Amino acid sequence: MTRILVVDDEPSIVTLLTFNLERAGFEVQSADDGLKGLKMATEGNYDLIILDLMLPGMDGLEICKTLRQEKNSTPILILTAKEDEFDKILGLELGADDYLTKPFSPREVVARVKAILRRTKAGQLQEKEEGEGPIQIGELKIFPNRYEAFFREEKLNLTPKEFELLLYLANHKDRVLSREQLLDAVWNYDFTGDTRIVDVHISHLREKIEEDTKNPKYIKTVRGFGYKMAGE
């Protein structure tokens, strides 16, 4: 059974999420403070983490940062009650895969969770079945069947969404892709027109594979259209 960890200090939110996720067929465990949540996320084997940003002990952004530094690539859906876009964007920059702003519909949470898991699991299964060889673009090498990417022979620490975005760009090398196309292909659901999530992930990828992020060699911006993967 798919296991989900909910880290939130509001009992009503935890009860609501647990009820709806269990009804959808997931196994749910929860933590009501940041330190406990980090310990469970680190020691447990979860398929997805739902993480509130405002937590006692350790906030959600610090948990997200710590997990990614420890190379824990479990998909993360962050929750925030704040209107300020800074926390949402920072969460994505630290490695979260998606976000929702409180108040939210329980059905929307379940839909987001299913979409993230569907993309991750379907991608892994397809790549294993196809047994694809590595994709080589310049000093970048991507192994679809292993869900790994290397730059200059060093393994890149990528979140699931970063890897999927990088792989999609590589599979469509030299083709200009709009933000809307990338949203549909990588996130696989309606993100209500919020294409900033694409820009954040592109920026994060550039920091890992570009010598000069202002003059990228691989992931180029095509002004007025979108992005494309370049390189020999």
Side-chain angles (χ1 to χ4, degrees), residues 44-64:
N45 183 24
Y46 297 98
D47 297 283
L48 184 139
I49 300 168
I50 298 179
L51 179 64
D52 187 28
L53 292 187
M54 299 296 291
L55 293 165
M58 175 184 286
D59 66 48
L61 292 175
E62 191 63 30
I63 293 173
C64 188

Side-chain angles (χ1 to χ4, degrees), residues 200-214:
V200 169
H201 280 71
I202 290 289
S203 176
H204 215 185
L205 284 175
R206 281 175 171 166
E207 290 174 359
K208 298 178 180 182
I209 67 173
E210 303 285 2
E211 287 187 359
D212 184 356
T213 56
K214 294 183 179 179

Side-chain angles (χ1 to χ4, degrees), residues 12 17 41 55 68:
S12 60
L17 290 174
L55 293 165
R68 295 313 186 216

Side-chain angles (χ1 to χ4, degrees), residues 1-6 21-22 24-30 39-50 74-76 113 116-117 121:
M1 183 178 291
T2 302
R3 301 178 74 232
I4 296 176
L5 174 63
V6 175
L21 289 168
E22 287 183 342
F26 301 110
E27 178 184 339
V28 182
Q29 295 184 355
S30 63
K39 186 174 187 294
M40 292 178 67
T42 302
E43 298 178 356
N45 183 24
Y46 297 98
D47 297 283
L48 184 139
I49 300 168
I50 298 179
T74 304
I76 297 174
V113 166
I116 294 171
L117 293 172
K121 293 180 179 180

